[in-house]
Short mmCIF file of all heavy atoms in Angstrom, two decimals:
data_model
loop_
_atom_site.label_atom_id
_atom_site.label_comp_id
_atom_site.label_asym_id
_atom_site.label_seq_id
_atom_site.Cartn_x
_atom_site.Cartn_y
_atom_site.Cartn_z
N ARG A 4 -1.80 8.60 -3.21
CA ARG A 4 -2.51 9.70 -2.56
C ARG A 4 -4.03 9.58 -2.68
O ARG A 4 -4.76 10.07 -1.81
CB ARG A 4 -2.05 11.03 -3.16
CG ARG A 4 -0.60 11.35 -2.80
CD ARG A 4 -0.16 12.68 -3.38
NE ARG A 4 1.21 13.00 -2.97
CZ ARG A 4 1.85 14.10 -3.34
NH1 ARG A 4 1.25 14.97 -4.13
NH2 ARG A 4 3.09 14.32 -2.93
N VAL A 5 -4.51 8.95 -3.75
CA VAL A 5 -5.97 8.90 -3.95
C VAL A 5 -6.57 7.54 -3.61
O VAL A 5 -7.79 7.38 -3.65
CB VAL A 5 -6.34 9.28 -5.41
CG1 VAL A 5 -5.80 10.65 -5.75
CG2 VAL A 5 -5.83 8.23 -6.40
N ALA A 6 -5.73 6.56 -3.28
CA ALA A 6 -6.22 5.19 -3.09
C ALA A 6 -7.35 5.10 -2.07
O ALA A 6 -8.28 4.30 -2.23
CB ALA A 6 -5.07 4.27 -2.69
N ASP A 7 -7.30 5.90 -1.01
CA ASP A 7 -8.31 5.84 0.04
C ASP A 7 -9.16 7.11 0.11
O ASP A 7 -9.76 7.42 1.15
CB ASP A 7 -7.64 5.60 1.40
CG ASP A 7 -7.09 4.19 1.53
OD1 ASP A 7 -7.80 3.24 1.13
OD2 ASP A 7 -5.94 4.05 1.98
N ARG A 8 -9.25 7.83 -1.03
CA ARG A 8 -9.97 9.10 -1.03
C ARG A 8 -11.27 9.04 -1.83
O ARG A 8 -11.84 10.08 -2.14
CB ARG A 8 -9.07 10.20 -1.60
CG ARG A 8 -7.79 10.44 -0.82
CD ARG A 8 -8.05 11.11 0.50
NE ARG A 8 -6.81 11.48 1.19
CZ ARG A 8 -6.25 12.67 1.12
NH1 ARG A 8 -6.82 13.63 0.40
NH2 ARG A 8 -5.13 12.92 1.78
N GLN A 9 -11.74 7.87 -2.18
CA GLN A 9 -12.97 7.73 -2.98
C GLN A 9 -12.86 8.49 -4.30
O GLN A 9 -13.85 9.02 -4.82
CB GLN A 9 -14.19 8.21 -2.19
CG GLN A 9 -14.63 7.28 -1.08
CD GLN A 9 -15.08 5.93 -1.62
OE1 GLN A 9 -15.96 5.84 -2.48
NE2 GLN A 9 -14.48 4.86 -1.12
N VAL A 10 -11.66 8.54 -4.85
CA VAL A 10 -11.44 9.14 -6.17
C VAL A 10 -11.41 8.00 -7.19
O VAL A 10 -10.64 7.05 -7.04
CB VAL A 10 -10.12 9.93 -6.22
CG1 VAL A 10 -9.84 10.42 -7.64
CG2 VAL A 10 -10.16 11.09 -5.24
N GLN A 11 -12.28 8.10 -8.21
CA GLN A 11 -12.33 7.05 -9.22
C GLN A 11 -11.11 7.17 -10.14
O GLN A 11 -10.82 8.23 -10.68
CB GLN A 11 -13.61 7.17 -10.05
CG GLN A 11 -14.89 7.15 -9.24
CD GLN A 11 -15.11 5.81 -8.55
OE1 GLN A 11 -14.58 4.80 -8.97
NE2 GLN A 11 -15.88 5.82 -7.48
N ILE A 12 -10.39 6.06 -10.29
CA ILE A 12 -9.16 6.05 -11.08
C ILE A 12 -9.42 5.38 -12.43
O ILE A 12 -10.02 4.30 -12.50
CB ILE A 12 -8.05 5.29 -10.34
CG1 ILE A 12 -7.76 5.97 -9.00
CG2 ILE A 12 -6.79 5.21 -11.19
CD1 ILE A 12 -6.80 5.18 -8.12
N MET A 13 -8.99 6.03 -13.49
CA MET A 13 -9.05 5.44 -14.82
C MET A 13 -7.62 5.24 -15.32
O MET A 13 -6.82 6.17 -15.32
CB MET A 13 -9.82 6.33 -15.80
CG MET A 13 -9.92 5.74 -17.20
SD MET A 13 -10.92 6.74 -18.33
CE MET A 13 -12.56 6.49 -17.64
N LEU A 14 -7.31 4.00 -15.72
CA LEU A 14 -5.98 3.67 -16.24
C LEU A 14 -6.04 3.60 -17.76
O LEU A 14 -6.90 2.92 -18.32
CB LEU A 14 -5.51 2.34 -15.67
CG LEU A 14 -5.45 2.24 -14.14
CD1 LEU A 14 -5.01 0.83 -13.72
CD2 LEU A 14 -4.52 3.29 -13.56
N ARG A 15 -5.14 4.31 -18.40
CA ARG A 15 -5.05 4.26 -19.85
C ARG A 15 -3.71 3.69 -20.25
O ARG A 15 -2.70 3.89 -19.57
CB ARG A 15 -5.21 5.66 -20.46
CG ARG A 15 -6.65 6.14 -20.57
CD ARG A 15 -6.78 7.17 -21.68
NE ARG A 15 -6.46 6.59 -22.97
CZ ARG A 15 -6.23 7.30 -24.07
NH1 ARG A 15 -6.27 8.61 -24.02
NH2 ARG A 15 -5.96 6.71 -25.21
N GLY A 16 -3.69 3.02 -21.37
CA GLY A 16 -2.43 2.46 -21.85
C GLY A 16 -2.68 1.45 -22.94
O GLY A 16 -3.77 0.89 -23.05
N GLU A 17 -1.67 1.20 -23.74
CA GLU A 17 -1.78 0.21 -24.80
C GLU A 17 -2.02 -1.18 -24.20
O GLU A 17 -1.76 -1.42 -23.02
CB GLU A 17 -0.50 0.19 -25.63
CG GLU A 17 -0.22 1.47 -26.39
CD GLU A 17 1.10 1.41 -27.13
OE1 GLU A 17 1.69 0.30 -27.21
OE2 GLU A 17 1.54 2.45 -27.61
N THR A 18 -2.49 -2.07 -25.03
CA THR A 18 -2.66 -3.46 -24.60
C THR A 18 -1.32 -4.02 -24.13
O THR A 18 -0.30 -3.86 -24.80
CB THR A 18 -3.20 -4.29 -25.77
OG1 THR A 18 -4.49 -3.82 -26.11
CG2 THR A 18 -3.30 -5.76 -25.39
N GLY A 19 -1.35 -4.65 -22.97
CA GLY A 19 -0.15 -5.30 -22.46
C GLY A 19 0.73 -4.46 -21.57
O GLY A 19 1.82 -4.90 -21.17
N THR A 20 0.30 -3.22 -21.23
CA THR A 20 1.15 -2.35 -20.41
C THR A 20 1.02 -2.62 -18.92
O THR A 20 1.69 -1.97 -18.11
CB THR A 20 0.83 -0.86 -20.69
OG1 THR A 20 -0.58 -0.65 -20.63
CG2 THR A 20 1.34 -0.46 -22.06
N GLY A 21 0.17 -3.54 -18.51
CA GLY A 21 0.09 -3.93 -17.11
C GLY A 21 -0.96 -3.18 -16.32
O GLY A 21 -0.79 -2.92 -15.12
N LYS A 22 -2.08 -2.87 -16.96
CA LYS A 22 -3.12 -2.08 -16.28
C LYS A 22 -3.73 -2.85 -15.11
O LYS A 22 -3.98 -2.29 -14.05
CB LYS A 22 -4.19 -1.66 -17.30
CG LYS A 22 -3.66 -0.69 -18.36
CD LYS A 22 -4.75 -0.18 -19.28
CE LYS A 22 -5.27 -1.21 -20.25
NZ LYS A 22 -4.26 -1.62 -21.26
N GLU A 23 -3.98 -4.15 -15.29
CA GLU A 23 -4.57 -4.91 -14.19
C GLU A 23 -3.58 -5.08 -13.04
O GLU A 23 -3.95 -5.02 -11.86
CB GLU A 23 -5.06 -6.28 -14.66
CG GLU A 23 -5.72 -7.05 -13.52
CD GLU A 23 -6.32 -8.38 -13.94
OE1 GLU A 23 -6.56 -8.58 -15.15
OE2 GLU A 23 -6.53 -9.23 -13.04
N ILE A 24 -2.31 -5.28 -13.36
CA ILE A 24 -1.29 -5.39 -12.31
C ILE A 24 -1.26 -4.12 -11.48
O ILE A 24 -1.18 -4.15 -10.24
CB ILE A 24 0.09 -5.66 -12.93
CG1 ILE A 24 0.08 -6.99 -13.71
CG2 ILE A 24 1.17 -5.70 -11.85
CD1 ILE A 24 1.35 -7.25 -14.49
N PHE A 25 -1.33 -2.97 -12.16
CA PHE A 25 -1.31 -1.69 -11.47
C PHE A 25 -2.56 -1.53 -10.60
O PHE A 25 -2.49 -1.05 -9.46
CB PHE A 25 -1.22 -0.54 -12.48
CG PHE A 25 -0.77 0.76 -11.90
CD1 PHE A 25 0.58 1.08 -11.81
CD2 PHE A 25 -1.69 1.68 -11.41
CE1 PHE A 25 1.01 2.28 -11.26
CE2 PHE A 25 -1.28 2.88 -10.85
CZ PHE A 25 0.08 3.18 -10.78
N ALA A 26 -3.72 -1.94 -11.14
CA ALA A 26 -4.96 -1.84 -10.37
C ALA A 26 -4.89 -2.71 -9.11
O ALA A 26 -5.35 -2.30 -8.03
CB ALA A 26 -6.15 -2.26 -11.24
N ARG A 27 -4.30 -3.90 -9.23
CA ARG A 27 -4.16 -4.77 -8.05
C ARG A 27 -3.24 -4.11 -7.00
O ARG A 27 -3.47 -4.24 -5.80
CB ARG A 27 -3.60 -6.13 -8.46
CG ARG A 27 -4.59 -7.00 -9.21
CD ARG A 27 -4.01 -8.38 -9.50
NE ARG A 27 -4.94 -9.18 -10.26
CZ ARG A 27 -5.93 -9.90 -9.73
NH1 ARG A 27 -6.10 -9.89 -8.42
NH2 ARG A 27 -6.73 -10.61 -10.49
N ALA A 28 -2.21 -3.44 -7.49
CA ALA A 28 -1.30 -2.77 -6.55
C ALA A 28 -2.02 -1.65 -5.81
O ALA A 28 -1.79 -1.45 -4.60
CB ALA A 28 -0.09 -2.22 -7.30
N ILE A 29 -2.87 -0.91 -6.50
CA ILE A 29 -3.66 0.14 -5.85
C ILE A 29 -4.55 -0.48 -4.77
O ILE A 29 -4.64 0.03 -3.64
CB ILE A 29 -4.52 0.90 -6.88
CG1 ILE A 29 -3.64 1.65 -7.87
CG2 ILE A 29 -5.47 1.88 -6.19
CD1 ILE A 29 -4.40 2.27 -9.03
N HIS A 30 -5.22 -1.57 -5.13
CA HIS A 30 -6.08 -2.26 -4.17
C HIS A 30 -5.28 -2.71 -2.94
O HIS A 30 -5.71 -2.53 -1.79
CB HIS A 30 -6.74 -3.45 -4.85
CG HIS A 30 -7.51 -4.34 -3.93
ND1 HIS A 30 -8.73 -4.01 -3.40
CD2 HIS A 30 -7.21 -5.58 -3.43
CE1 HIS A 30 -9.17 -4.98 -2.63
NE2 HIS A 30 -8.26 -5.95 -2.62
N SER A 31 -4.12 -3.30 -3.19
CA SER A 31 -3.30 -3.83 -2.09
C SER A 31 -2.79 -2.73 -1.17
O SER A 31 -2.55 -2.97 0.01
CB SER A 31 -2.12 -4.62 -2.66
OG SER A 31 -2.58 -5.74 -3.40
N ALA A 32 -2.61 -1.51 -1.72
CA ALA A 32 -2.10 -0.40 -0.92
C ALA A 32 -3.20 0.37 -0.21
O ALA A 32 -2.90 1.29 0.56
CB ALA A 32 -1.31 0.55 -1.83
N SER A 33 -4.45 -0.01 -0.43
CA SER A 33 -5.57 0.72 0.15
C SER A 33 -6.09 0.03 1.40
O SER A 33 -5.69 -1.10 1.73
CB SER A 33 -6.71 0.84 -0.87
OG SER A 33 -7.37 -0.40 -1.04
N ARG A 34 -7.01 0.69 2.09
CA ARG A 34 -7.63 0.09 3.28
C ARG A 34 -8.58 -1.04 2.90
O ARG A 34 -9.08 -1.74 3.78
CB ARG A 34 -8.38 1.17 4.06
CG ARG A 34 -7.47 2.18 4.75
CD ARG A 34 -8.22 2.99 5.78
NE ARG A 34 -9.20 3.88 5.15
CZ ARG A 34 -8.98 5.15 4.86
NH1 ARG A 34 -7.79 5.69 5.12
NH2 ARG A 34 -9.92 5.89 4.31
N ARG A 35 -8.82 -1.21 1.62
CA ARG A 35 -9.73 -2.27 1.14
C ARG A 35 -8.99 -3.57 0.84
O ARG A 35 -9.60 -4.52 0.33
CB ARG A 35 -10.45 -1.79 -0.12
CG ARG A 35 -11.37 -0.60 0.10
CD ARG A 35 -11.91 -0.06 -1.22
NE ARG A 35 -12.92 0.97 -0.99
CZ ARG A 35 -14.23 0.74 -0.96
NH1 ARG A 35 -14.68 -0.49 -1.15
NH2 ARG A 35 -15.07 1.72 -0.73
N SER A 36 -7.71 -3.64 1.11
CA SER A 36 -6.90 -4.77 0.66
C SER A 36 -7.36 -6.11 1.22
O SER A 36 -7.12 -7.16 0.59
CB SER A 36 -5.43 -4.53 1.04
OG SER A 36 -5.30 -4.37 2.44
N ALA A 37 -8.01 -6.12 2.38
CA ALA A 37 -8.47 -7.38 2.96
C ALA A 37 -9.75 -7.89 2.31
O ALA A 37 -10.17 -9.03 2.54
CB ALA A 37 -8.70 -7.21 4.46
N SER A 38 -10.39 -7.05 1.48
CA SER A 38 -11.64 -7.43 0.80
C SER A 38 -11.33 -7.80 -0.64
O SER A 38 -10.22 -7.58 -1.14
CB SER A 38 -12.63 -6.26 0.87
OG SER A 38 -12.97 -5.98 2.22
N PRO A 39 -12.31 -8.36 -1.36
CA PRO A 39 -12.03 -8.91 -2.69
C PRO A 39 -11.61 -7.86 -3.72
O PRO A 39 -12.07 -6.72 -3.70
CB PRO A 39 -13.37 -9.55 -3.10
CG PRO A 39 -14.13 -9.74 -1.83
CD PRO A 39 -13.70 -8.63 -0.92
N PHE A 40 -10.71 -8.29 -4.62
CA PHE A 40 -10.42 -7.57 -5.85
C PHE A 40 -11.08 -8.38 -6.97
O PHE A 40 -10.70 -9.52 -7.22
CB PHE A 40 -8.91 -7.47 -6.08
CG PHE A 40 -8.53 -6.80 -7.39
CD1 PHE A 40 -8.29 -5.43 -7.44
CD2 PHE A 40 -8.40 -7.54 -8.55
CE1 PHE A 40 -7.93 -4.82 -8.63
CE2 PHE A 40 -8.04 -6.94 -9.75
CZ PHE A 40 -7.81 -5.57 -9.79
N VAL A 41 -12.08 -7.81 -7.62
CA VAL A 41 -12.86 -8.53 -8.63
C VAL A 41 -12.63 -7.88 -10.00
O VAL A 41 -12.92 -6.70 -10.18
CB VAL A 41 -14.37 -8.53 -8.30
CG1 VAL A 41 -15.16 -9.25 -9.38
CG2 VAL A 41 -14.61 -9.17 -6.94
N ALA A 42 -12.07 -8.64 -10.92
CA ALA A 42 -11.75 -8.11 -12.25
C ALA A 42 -12.76 -8.59 -13.27
O ALA A 42 -13.13 -9.77 -13.30
CB ALA A 42 -10.34 -8.55 -12.66
N VAL A 43 -13.20 -7.68 -14.12
CA VAL A 43 -14.14 -8.00 -15.20
C VAL A 43 -13.59 -7.41 -16.49
O VAL A 43 -13.34 -6.20 -16.57
CB VAL A 43 -15.54 -7.40 -14.93
CG1 VAL A 43 -16.48 -7.73 -16.09
CG2 VAL A 43 -16.11 -7.92 -13.62
N ASN A 44 -13.38 -8.26 -17.49
CA ASN A 44 -12.97 -7.77 -18.81
C ASN A 44 -14.22 -7.57 -19.65
O ASN A 44 -14.84 -8.53 -20.10
CB ASN A 44 -12.02 -8.77 -19.48
CG ASN A 44 -11.40 -8.20 -20.75
OD1 ASN A 44 -12.08 -7.53 -21.54
ND2 ASN A 44 -10.14 -8.46 -20.96
N CYS A 45 -14.61 -6.32 -19.85
CA CYS A 45 -15.86 -6.02 -20.54
C CYS A 45 -15.83 -6.44 -22.00
O CYS A 45 -16.88 -6.59 -22.63
CB CYS A 45 -16.16 -4.52 -20.45
SG CYS A 45 -16.35 -3.91 -18.76
N ALA A 46 -14.63 -6.64 -22.57
CA ALA A 46 -14.53 -7.04 -23.97
C ALA A 46 -14.56 -8.55 -24.13
O ALA A 46 -14.84 -9.05 -25.22
CB ALA A 46 -13.24 -6.49 -24.57
N ALA A 47 -14.28 -9.29 -23.05
CA ALA A 47 -14.17 -10.75 -23.16
C ALA A 47 -15.47 -11.47 -22.89
O ALA A 47 -15.63 -12.63 -23.25
CB ALA A 47 -13.09 -11.26 -22.20
N ILE A 48 -16.43 -10.80 -22.23
CA ILE A 48 -17.70 -11.44 -21.90
C ILE A 48 -18.71 -11.14 -23.00
O ILE A 48 -18.88 -9.98 -23.37
CB ILE A 48 -18.24 -10.93 -20.54
CG1 ILE A 48 -17.21 -11.18 -19.43
CG2 ILE A 48 -19.56 -11.61 -20.19
CD1 ILE A 48 -17.61 -10.60 -18.09
N PRO A 49 -19.38 -12.15 -23.55
CA PRO A 49 -20.39 -11.90 -24.59
C PRO A 49 -21.44 -10.89 -24.10
O PRO A 49 -21.81 -10.87 -22.92
CB PRO A 49 -21.02 -13.27 -24.81
CG PRO A 49 -19.97 -14.24 -24.39
CD PRO A 49 -19.24 -13.58 -23.25
N GLU A 50 -21.91 -10.06 -25.02
CA GLU A 50 -22.85 -9.01 -24.66
C GLU A 50 -24.10 -9.56 -24.00
O GLU A 50 -24.69 -8.93 -23.12
CB GLU A 50 -23.22 -8.21 -25.91
CG GLU A 50 -24.01 -6.96 -25.63
CD GLU A 50 -24.13 -6.06 -26.84
OE1 GLU A 50 -23.20 -6.03 -27.65
OE2 GLU A 50 -25.17 -5.38 -26.98
#
């Protein structure tokens, strides 16, 4: 319902629960699916 409504989505869950997979599914179901999905792990990149 919110995928194309400019509502910012925050996913919470323990490590390994599939948050990125879910985010990709949201992207694929939106009108933005033909444009890039760019993932950044803020904990993995040195400060």
Side-chain angles (χ1 to χ4, degrees):
R4 292 181 177 180
V5 303
D7 289 316
R8 299 289 187 95
Q9 287 297 305
V10 174
Q11 304 294 338
I12 300 173
M13 181 177 290
L14 303 178
R15 280 206 63 194
E17 295 177 11
T18 296
T20 49
K22 294 186 288 293
E23 182 176 340
I24 298 173
F25 198 88
R27 288 184 182 276
I29 296 172
H30 172 75
S31 297
S33 73
R34 290 194 292 264
R35 296 172 173 266
S36 59
S38 297
F40 177 92
V41 178
V43 179
N44 189 319
C45 300
I48 303 175
E50 189 169 328

